[in-house]
Amino acid sequence: MERWLASVKADSDSGNEHTHSKYRTAAKHIGAWAHANHLIRLSQITPDALDHWKSSWSPKAKTPNDRIGKTTAGRRLEKVKRFLGYCVKVHWLATNPATELKAIKPDPSVTWPLLSGRYEKVIAATYEYDKRARRPSDQFGAEMRAIIELMRWTGLRIGDALMCAKSRIQGNRFSLTTQKSKSALTVLIPDHVIAA
């Protein structure tokens, strides 16, 4: 696993630590599954064993690591296939036992805008979150409101909003180059968002 992770990092076009952490998480899950099933050698990983593992992924799975939805399951399967493909590439395996596993399509869900009072309910929920926190150090309502407000007024995806630096704000102008599309963006934002 360590060799694969090093190879992924070396071959990556970006130094994005978030991307590398996803691969580390995938490696952890593959390793935990192999350990739980007493798989010591790569040659013990069969299409049947992989299909059985894949079939166990669901929101109500017995194993906590396998409690995932279809979107996450699809991404996990992609990484399992990549790992085993790497094993074939470096001649640790003759064939990839995951080749015939069918891709997992995400649930077709609709993203609805926060209209008809929904936005206000989301903001109110951040205050409720803080009220229910056991300790003051567990209160993150202000940070959640800042991210939600930034996303609302700039149109940013959550990943871009989380990576935002305060230095991107000059007066009421917010500028950023989005990670996914690499497009430049300058937006005027209200004072209360800047304060948050």
Side-chain angles (χ1 to χ4, degrees), residues 56-68:
S56 71
W57 301 341
S58 76
K60 296 182 179 181
K62 280 196 273 184
T63 308
N65 280 345
D66 294 340
R67 290 181 194 142
I68 55 178

Side-chain angles (χ1 to χ4, degrees), residues 114-144:
L114 296 175
L115 301 174
S116 304
R118 289 188 197 110
Y119 181 78
E120 291 76 13
K121 287 179 183 176
V122 169
I123 294 297
T126 65
Y127 289 100
E128 188 62 31
Y129 177 87
D130 281 350
K131 283 182 192 173
R132 294 180 182 203
R134 293 182 185 175
R135 301 176 290 274
S137 62
D138 292 338
Q139 295 178 345
F140 299 105
E143 290 88 346
M144 288 189 286

Side-chain angles (χ1 to χ4, degrees), residues 170-185:
Q170 301 295 325
N172 278 50
R173 293 186 180 272
F174 173 79
S175 62
L176 181 73
T177 302
T178 59
Q179 290 179 2
K180 194 168 187 175
S181 64
K182 302 295 182 200
S183 58
L185 175 72

Side-chain angles (χ1 to χ4, degrees), residues 6-192:
S7 177
V8 166
K9 191 165 189 174
D11 292 346
S12 175
D13 292 335
S14 76
N16 187 339
E17 188 56 35
H18 182 66
T19 299
H20 301 303
S21 73
K22 289 180 180 182
Y23 279 92
R24 283 194 300 273
T25 299
K28 182 183 87 172
H29 291 151
I30 295 166
W33 166 74
H35 180 73
N37 289 278
H38 311 290
L39 304 175
I40 299 167
R41 295 182 185 84
L42 286 170
S43 60
Q44 293 175 296
I45 300 175
T46 64
D48 179 59
L50 288 169
D51 187 57
H52 182 70
W53 184 32
K54 176 187 161 196
S55 299
S56 71
W57 301 341
S58 76
K60 296 182 179 181
K62 280 196 273 184
T63 308
N65 280 345
D66 294 340
R67 290 181 194 142
I68 55 178
K70 285 194 172 190
T71 301
T72 304
R75 290 183 184 140
R76 179 183 290 177
L77 182 60
E78 287 174 15
K79 288 178 180 65
V80 168
K81 286 183 174 186
R82 286 183 186 172
F83 167 66
L84 294 168
Y86 174 79
C87 293
V88 171
K89 184 176 97 172
V90 295
H91 303 286
W92 293 341
L93 286 173
T95 60
N96 185 337
T99 301
E100 296 300 320
L101 294 180
K102 190 175 176 183
I104 301 169
K105 294 181 181 176
D107 286 325
S109 60
V110 178
T111 303
W112 294 100
L114 296 175
L115 301 174
S116 304
R118 289 188 197 110
Y119 181 78
E120 291 76 13
K121 287 179 183 176
V122 169
I123 294 297
T126 65
Y127 289 100
E128 188 62 31
Y129 177 87
D130 281 350
K131 283 182 192 173
R132 294 180 182 203
R134 293 182 185 175
R135 301 176 290 274
S137 62
D138 292 338
Q139 295 178 345
F140 299 105
E143 290 88 346
M144 288 189 286
R145 284 188 296 281
I147 291 166
I148 292 164
E149 289 280 11
L150 183 64
M151 290 183 342
R152 177 186 188 192
W153 291 97
T154 63
L156 290 174
R157 298 172 194 83
I158 191 165
D160 292 319
L162 290 170
M163 299 298 289
C164 173
K166 287 183 182 180
S167 62
R168 298 285 183 185
I169 300 172
Q170 301 295 325
N172 278 50
R173 293 186 180 272
F174 173 79
S175 62
L176 181 73
T177 302
T178 59
Q179 290 179 2
K180 194 168 187 175
S181 64
K182 302 295 182 200
S183 58
L185 175 72
T186 301
V187 178
L188 289 175
I189 53 179
D191 291 337
H192 76 279

